[in-house]
Amino acid sequence: MRTPVYIALCGFFGLGTASPTTNSGSSSAATVHWLGDKPAHNLGTTFGVPWAQGQHDPKKTKFTVSSGSNQVDLQSWVTGYWSDGSVKWTGHAIAASENILDEYTVTASKSAASVESASTNSKNKLKVTDTAKKITVDTGKLKVSFPKSGSNIIDTIQTAGGKIIGQDGRLVLQSQSGVDSNSDSRGKQPIKNLNFASKIEGVTVGKQNSVRALVTVRGKHQVTSGGPHDDWLPFVLRFYLYSNSDAIRLVHSLVFDAPAEKNFITGLGIRFGVPLKGEELYNRHVRIAGVDGGLLSEAVKGITGLRRDPGAAVRTAQYDGVVVPDISTWDTRVSTRMKWIPAWGDYSLSQLSSDGFTLKKRTKAGQSWINISGGTRAGGLAYLGGATQGGLAVGLRDFWKRYPSGLDISNAASDLGEITVWLYDPAAEPLDLRPYHDGLNQTTYADQLDALEITYEDYEPGFNTPYGIARTSEVFIFGFEKTPSRDTLSDLTEHMNNPPVLTAEPAYIQKTKALGSYWGLPDTTSARSAEIEGHLDFLFKQYQKEVEQRRWYGFLNYGDFMHSYDTDRHTWRYDVGGYGWDNSELSPDLFFWQYFLRTGREDVYRFAEALTRHTGEVDVYHIGDWKGLGTRHGVQHWADSAKQARISQPQYRKYFYYLSGGDERIGELFDELLDTETTYGILDPQRKVRKDGWVPTPNSTVAFSLGTDWSALASGWLIEWERRGLRWEEAKTKLTSTITSIANLKYGFVTGSGLYSLQNSTLGPPPLDPDNKGLVDVSHLSAVFGLPEVVSEAIEYYGDDLPAGFKDAWYDYCYYYAATGDEQVARYGVKFKDISLLQAHSRLTAYAAHQTSNTTLAKRAWRDLLNSDGLGPNTPWNTTHMSGSSVLVALDEAPWLGSNDVAQYGLAVIQNLALARDALDTWNS
Ligand SMILES: *[C@@H]1O[C@H](CO)[C@@H](O)[C@H](O)[C@H]1NC(C)=O
Ligand SMILES: *[C@@H]1O[C@H](CO)[C@@H](O)[C@H](O)[C@H]1NC(C)=O
Ligand SMILES: *[C@@H]1O[C@H](CO)[C@@H](O)[C@H](O)[C@H]1NC(C)=O
Ligand SMILES: *[C@@H]1O[C@H](CO)[C@@H](O)[C@H](O)[C@H]1NC(C)=O
Ligand SMILES: *[C@@H]1O[C@H](CO)[C@@H](O)[C@H](O)[C@H]1NC(C)=O
Ligand SMILES: *[C@@H]1O[C@H](CO)[C@@H](O)[C@H](O)[C@H]1NC(C)=O
């Protein structure tokens, strides 16, 4: 059906189109170091490293890693290629090790074998067996079996000592068919309570398994009681196991796929059985992480605090979780009366807000709970096990930030105890994904556009649906031969919440150009550059602070921030139509990642990572008719009716993808986005304002903009080509074809939009200019959703193979957007209308200046950055402390700050410094 316009030619290494260039196969090295402080534990780590173009042939390169004279076991794979087929990005895994070094040197050297077949000789290799019924991975410390059918995601977890410390791992889901309007109406409408278990549909293990094994489990939740109900909430579980490690990292992803009016999640968790048979109740231990390294340490049957003393050695041993002296040695006043001491089988911690948790226990079901204590922000880890038999700890990363979360220990006095980690705690209110308003009778486009005038919400009936949104969470599982020390569990709680990250140096990443040439290292060499660097730091820190001050936490919300501020109420406009959650408006994702690239700062990385995990999942549709589109900013992440590719823009996730060594969940999101162009045949983003009469038809020719739409599609295609994914040739064809077409439009990017054939992947002129006579349609939004980054990376990626005229088309857009009206008229016959966001576009001017080494133009870039709209030298750059009755809680506000400005000022500063630095100090002299 599709006729490729450009057929991929055989080239260097058989993968690209360019000719062999340089010293392929020569040796080179990159240093990686831990983000932040050196971690206390290395339980196995994956990281990404970029390589300059033309250096390494993927078929003839071996990667090794060392630190000083220590050789470390390494598994390597290629996550990205240059267009000539040389290695652009690698992913690497190192095994767990007690010897943790400050930094590691990754060396690429010539080899007879390919990157991926070069494997470690180590005795510590993982053992992986894959049979019809199950996959088993043995790390040397833990042996874990993953059944290929049924409801268990994990059958057993066994220690090296042969102890089964975990079994029957499974997902737990609870839901309700309705919710009461308020407490008075309880019981007045019939509400069904349903229970579901995981139903496995497919289990696979990666091909490379020397140091790291990735087991992927897919399935749905199947009703077990309270039903009938369709199987729903499809999940993907990615288990990462490392050689020599007693930890398992689980990336848990889930898609919401039911009508929100009838399906309210009340509990969502992962449960493991912990065998305790044969362990004395006084040797069974419960540990639950509290605040800042704190821990609840109790035994199922306590022998401390009793009226009679079993002896100090016994008490101390129990508190420390070690085997207590034989009971025959205890004071008999205690040993003869053990049967009178209750055993506490159940514990439950609920973190129902980001500010507090409660913790309770009971002897067993049917008896009252006893409140233990509470605290602010729980670490999110629970352990159950025996002093002799070992045990299991399970926890949720960012536990309190993702409230309502919970941890349950159950039946600890029986032969089989259980630990449940709740990603959504059943003690919380049901997850209510219904619309927040009833439609306000906005039945026509005219009404909807009129309403947009006042609340800025772009409403349309039926569009405020969560059907197809997703959420990804990280769970950690740790196994033990015996009950670990309190400090060990404390350390692991820290490890889980801030998993160690290895990263290359900013200067090295920049030099490879693997993430473009539009950013550079921080520059404080002049007063002016130091001042604007300080402003970037201010913006980052204020946003970090706002997340905390405004409690931008919660199961679905964590990672995002708000769009605009209400200076009267001293709050963000969380309840005003289109001003609520930011949903990547004007690309803050790009700013925060580029800010990380240049600074290498841990705080920036963690912030950007949380943002990426949120925006790519919750703000985007993963299934259904709008699969591939995201939702515009609003009061709920899915509420607005503007469903657009600018929000799902793959470029937002590209940095994390490569830096993380190819995070497989992000890779899957890239795959999902490869059919986004087909949505234009179903849903026209311009439907409410289109004046050219064009209507979408599935599978034929579709209309999209050359700015927000094409940049998202192009990014997806470029990433697929770079990754050499399954559809890379098709993606390359589409990219090349549309790039050629844009170059062939009389006015290039200035044309604004075009008609794209889904049948043959060619892009033609827009409906109003069928003969390509030249149409001028410039939008202030075109270049603020990733277009500059995508175009500049594409131009470099093609190199000499770039279709003719494209560079000029982009140069012209960059030059003329903010040129004088006279210049625009001279070039295009008309002056551009509705030009705004000059500060944002100053980086386009800087790009043009850089291309032609035009100092006059470079000065214009700085003028527009420092002296037009947006943030500037006259912005206060300070906060005001607010307290008392004017605010809910005391806080530091910056009423002059909004997220559009943060994103675009940040990007403009970074890119102008990279492209037009020389003119900064002289622009106005
Ligand atoms: C224990 O705390 C819970 C809230 O976590 C509360 O509902 C319950 O009433 C408390 N129990 C007692 C006896 O105060
Ligand atoms: C809804 O709007 C329509 C016209 O736009 C109007 O005729 C109708 O009365 C309105 N209904 C309500 C309940 O306000
Ligand atoms: C579009 O084309 C695809 C493949 O050619 C086909 O599977 C699908 O049914 C078509 N959809 C419509 C709405 O025609
Ligand atoms: C691609 O399809 C469009 C629309 O059907 C058509 O106008 C155009 O000529 C085709 N282009 C090529 C190169 O086949
Ligand atoms: C450099 O930019 C200035 C300002 O826009 C422009 O007038 C001039 O023609 C440009 N010079 C070149 C050589 O392109
Ligand atoms: C913030 O800066 C503005 C403008 O420079 C100044 O007027 C104001 O006093 C400053 N406020 C504080 C709290 O420093």
Side-chain angles (χ1 to χ4, degrees):
M1 53 160 243
R2 184 177 47 78
T3 317
V5 179
Y6 281 78
I7 311 282
L9 307 170
C10 266
F12 185 32
F13 314 143
L15 278 170
T17 57
S19 52
T21 43
T22 54
N23 48 343
S24 128
S26 69
S27 155
S28 66
T31 301
V32 293
H33 65 276
W34 299 103
L35 198 57
D37 296 334
K38 188 167 85 170
H41 296 273
N42 166 27
L43 302 172
T45 301
T46 298
F47 57 95
V49 183
W51 304 94
Q53 181 162 12
Q55 297 290 303
H56 304 296
D57 178 344
K59 295 210 174 65
K60 292 182 191 145
T61 303
K62 177 183 164 75
F63 289 91
T64 51
V65 67
S66 61
S67 185
S69 57
N70 296 294
Q71 203 66 32
V72 178
D73 286 344
L74 187 74
Q75 180 174 317
S76 306
W77 58 95
V78 182
T79 53
Y81 301 82
W82 293 97
S83 57
D84 64 7
S86 61
V87 174
K88 186 172 188 183
W89 281 95
T90 43
H92 302 278
I94 56 169
S97 163
E98 268 154 36
N99 189 14
I100 304 163
L101 305 150
D102 291 322
E103 58 179 40
Y104 299 80
T105 304
V106 181
T107 304
S109 45
K110 204 165 174 146
S111 148
S114 72
V115 172
E116 304 186 4
S117 66
S119 77
T120 161
N121 297 320
S122 163
K123 290 184 292 260
N124 298 330
K125 258 195 234 179
L126 288 167
K127 291 188 194 71
V128 175
T129 55
D130 185 356
T131 68
K133 290 214 162 112
K134 63 179 178 186
I135 288 167
T136 308
V137 179
D138 187 348
T139 69
K141 293 263 175 74
L142 292 180
K143 189 171 169 185
V144 187
S145 90
F146 301 90
K148 289 191 172 171
S149 61
S151 60
N152 282 357
I153 55 175
I154 287 184
D155 258 351
T156 53
I157 305 176
Q158 196 172 9
T159 63
K163 298 168 182 166
I164 306 268
I165 48 156
Q167 68 181 57
D168 303 329
R170 60 213 184 267
L171 302 184
V172 194
L173 172 70
Q174 302 163 355
S175 76
Q176 283 179 198
S177 60
V179 285
D180 293 308
S181 318
N182 51 51
S183 55
D184 294 339
S185 65
R186 276 187 201 150
K188 290 185 183 162
Q189 60 156 326
I191 294 177
K192 280 193 296 181
N193 290 291
L194 298 98
N195 286 286
F196 301 81
S198 30
K199 178 177 128 191
I200 312 300
E201 292 177 343
V203 182
T204 54
V205 63
K207 287 197 202 84
Q208 272 185 294
N209 296 306
S210 59
V211 169
R212 183 189 94 166
L214 164 59
V215 177
T216 306
V217 179
R218 290 173 193 272
K220 285 195 176 132
H221 293 82
Q222 185 177 44
V223 74
T224 53
S225 70
H229 193 288
D230 290 341
D231 294 352
W232 69 314
L233 295 179
F235 60 80
V236 189
L237 309 176
R238 293 187 169 82
F239 293 91
Y240 294 87
L241 299 97
Y242 292 85
S243 153
N244 199 34
S245 180
D246 44 24
I248 305 167
R249 172 168 171 261
L250 162 58
V251 177
H252 171 290
S253 305
L254 174 102
V255 177
F256 188 82
D257 66 339
E261 290 68 26
K262 291 195 177 128
N263 293 276
F264 300 82
I265 292 173
T266 52
L268 173 69
I270 304 170
R271 180 171 292 161
F272 290 91
V274 180
L276 295 165
K277 192 174 177 187
E279 189 83 271
E280 297 292 352
L281 295 179
Y282 51 76
N283 271 333
R284 296 186 186 187
H285 298 287
V286 171
R287 304 282 184 266
I288 297 177
V291 182
D292 292 339
L295 202 67
L296 175 91
S297 301
E298 297 200 342
V300 170
K301 187 172 277 201
I303 44 155
T304 59
L306 298 171
R307 187 167 184 196
R308 307 293 170 215
D309 182 7
V314 180
R315 284 185 282 114
T316 306
Q318 186 182 58
Y319 182 57
D320 290 343
V322 299
V323 183
V324 298
D326 193 274
I327 193 164
S328 62
T329 67
W330 306 5
D331 186 325
T332 54
R333 288 174 300 172
V334 177
S335 56
T336 58
R337 297 190 174 94
M338 288 301 286
K339 62 190 169 193
W340 308 126
I341 304 174
W344 299 93
D346 297 350
Y347 283 74
S348 184
L349 181 147
S350 287
Q351 179 87 47
L352 301 188
S353 90
S354 53
D355 289 273
F357 68 87
T358 51
L359 179 56
K360 61 187 181 182
K361 69 178 181 180
R362 68 182 178 188
T363 53
K364 62 181 178 194
Q367 309 301 139
S368 174
W369 290 97
I370 298 299
N371 289 343
I372 299 173
S373 183
T376 50
R377 293 167 166 182
L381 184 83
Y383 166 86
L384 175 64
T388 68
Q389 297 185 358
L392 194 71
V394 190
L396 172 67
R397 180 180 180 190
D398 295 327
F399 184 78
W400 60 265
K401 296 174 184 166
R402 287 169 168 262
Y403 78 88
S405 42
L407 292 165
D408 281 358
I409 303 267
S410 322
N411 305 321
S414 76
D415 286 349
L416 185 65
E418 277 174 354
I419 305 180
T420 309
V421 51
W422 294 106
L423 314 186
Y424 198 93
D425 190 60
E429 293 172 44
L431 179 63
D432 188 344
L433 302 179
R434 294 174 301 176
Y436 76 98
H437 70 61
D438 65 5
L440 308 168
N441 198 24
Q442 296 177 31
T443 46
T444 62
Y445 283 171
D447 285 346
Q448 292 157 25
L449 291 168
D450 196 44
L452 181 79
E453 283 299 317
I454 185 72
T455 63
Y456 202 40
E457 177 173 54
D458 184 358
Y459 173 83
E460 188 172 341
F463 280 67
N464 46 1
T465 174
Y467 182 91
I469 67 165
R471 191 53 162 148
T472 285
S473 314
E474 277 176 74
V475 169
F476 287 77
I477 301 157
F478 304 101
F480 305 93
E481 298 279 2
K482 56 187 174 67
T483 296
S485 73
R486 289 187 293 273
D487 284 350
T488 298
L489 287 171
S490 242
D491 282 356
L492 292 175
T493 303
E494 163 66 18
H495 177 94
M496 172 182 92
N497 283 298
N498 293 299
V501 172
L502 280 169
T503 176
E505 304 293 338
Y508 173 80
I509 299 174
Q510 186 208 20
K511 213 174 69 190
T512 64
K513 299 190 173 187
L515 287 170
S517 327
Y518 44 77
W519 57 276
L521 303 183
D523 180 342
T524 51
T525 54
S526 77
R528 281 186 180 174
S529 69
E531 186 185 350
I532 57 179
E533 289 285 354
H535 293 161
L536 295 189
D537 180 62
F538 176 95
L539 294 178
F540 171 71
K541 289 201 176 119
Q542 183 60 16
Y543 266 59
Q544 200 185 24
K545 190 192 273 180
E546 287 285 30
V547 168
E548 170 63 9
Q549 297 184 149
R550 313 288 175 171
R551 299 300 192 269
W552 287 331
Y553 299 118
F555 176 63
L556 291 178
N557 295 336
Y558 176 58
D560 208 351
F561 38 79
M562 295 268 165
H563 181 276
S564 304
Y565 201 66
D566 181 339
T567 53
D568 294 306
R569 284 186 292 168
H570 308 285
T571 62
W572 289 78
R573 303 187 206 171
Y574 68 96
D575 58 348
V576 185
Y579 295 110
W581 292 111
D582 197 53
N583 285 26
S584 297
E585 184 68 359
L586 307 200
S587 310
D589 311 62
L590 296 180
F591 164 53
F592 289 110
W593 277 117
Q594 288 172 34
Y595 193 47
F596 167 73
L597 286 178
R598 60 204 301 273
T599 60
R601 275 166 58 173
E602 181 183 20
D603 52 357
V604 181
Y605 182 96
R606 303 286 183 195
F607 186 95
E609 181 187 13
L611 179 63
T612 293
R613 285 276 186 225
H614 167 87
T615 57
E617 302 278 359
V618 183
D619 301 348
V620 173
Y621 290 109
H622 303 264
I623 53 170
D625 284 349
W626 304 330
K627 176 182 165 184
L629 302 179
T631 299
R632 176 179 174 265
H633 42 104
V635 170
Q636 291 165 302
H637 297 287
W638 52 87
D640 203 270
S641 77
K643 308 297 182 190
Q644 299 193 12
R646 70 186 212 206
I647 299 115
S648 55
Q649 168 63 279
Q651 188 75 18
Y652 296 166
R653 284 157 272 287
K654 181 173 187 174
Y655 307 91
F656 176 64
Y657 176 77
Y658 285 123
L659 293 169
S660 65
D663 179 277
E664 284 74 11
R665 172 60 183 171
I666 303 289
E668 178 170 52
L669 299 183
F670 290 152
D671 294 343
E672 283 177 1
L673 294 169
L674 283 173
D675 291 309
T676 304
E677 71 260 32
T678 62
T679 64
Y680 294 94
I682 303 164
L683 184 71
D684 176 14
Q686 302 294 316
R687 64 194 178 283
K688 293 183 187 171
V689 291
R690 186 175 287 284
K691 297 198 180 80
D692 57 19
W694 186 84
V695 277
T697 316
N699 277 358
S700 65
T701 293
V702 299
F704 57 62
S705 84
L706 305 182
T708 54
D709 297 319
W710 181 79
S711 65
L713 300 174
S715 171
W717 295 328
L718 180 58
I719 291 170
E720 178 69 1
W721 178 13
E722 264 180 356
R723 297 167 69 208
R724 300 299 191 271
L726 289 174
R727 295 171 65 182
W728 77 268
E729 286 170 296
E730 172 196 338
K732 180 186 172 188
T733 299
K734 290 176 178 173
L735 183 65
T736 308
S737 160
T738 53
I739 279 183
T740 307
S741 306
I742 291 170
N744 290 339
L745 288 172
K746 178 151 188 229
Y747 288 161
F749 282 101
V750 171
T751 315
S753 68
L755 287 171
Y756 173 81
S757 164
L758 293 172
Q759 301 300 321
N760 63 25
S761 309
T762 56
L763 179 67
L768 286 180
D769 183 24
D771 299 325
N772 195 19
K773 291 191 171 139
L775 184 78
V776 173
D777 182 8
V778 174
S779 161
H780 64 301
L781 293 182
S782 289
V784 291
F785 286 87
L787 185 66
E789 288 80 6
V790 174
V791 169
S792 127
E793 287 189 32
I795 288 174
E796 291 190 344
Y797 198 74
Y798 278 96
D800 293 343
D801 294 333
L802 183 72
F806 184 72
K807 217 171 175 172
D808 296 336
W810 180 239
Y811 174 86
D812 284 352
Y813 191 81
C814 291
Y815 182 91
Y816 286 100
Y817 183 90
T820 62
D822 288 348
E823 287 175 295
Q824 290 164 352
V825 171
R827 172 74 174 81
Y828 296 104
V830 290
K831 182 176 180 311
F832 296 172
K833 281 188 300 210
D834 303 327
I835 293 301
S836 62
L837 296 177
L838 284 174
Q839 174 167 85
H841 285 80
S842 68
R843 69 197 214 268
L844 277 69
T845 307
Y847 183 88
H850 186 72
Q851 291 307 304
T852 48
S853 308
N854 184 335
T855 307
T856 316
L857 203 49
K859 289 182 177 179
R860 192 180 99 191
W862 286 110
R863 179 202 68 195
D864 287 350
L865 191 142
L866 296 168
N867 198 19
S868 64
D869 48 18
L871 305 174
N874 298 325
T875 300
W877 296 110
N878 63 19
T879 59
T880 308
H881 188 70
M882 304 290 298
S883 61
S885 63
S886 55
V887 285
L888 179 66
V889 292
L891 49 85
D892 295 323
E893 75 164 6
W896 48 272
L897 201 54
S899 297
N900 282 353
D901 283 345
V902 169
Q904 289 296 316
Y905 175 82
L907 288 167
V909 165
I910 290 173
Q911 297 179 15
N912 287 19
L913 280 175
L915 300 168
R917 170 65 182 90
D918 289 349
L920 168 60
D921 297 312
T922 56
W923 74 268
N924 56 352
S925 60

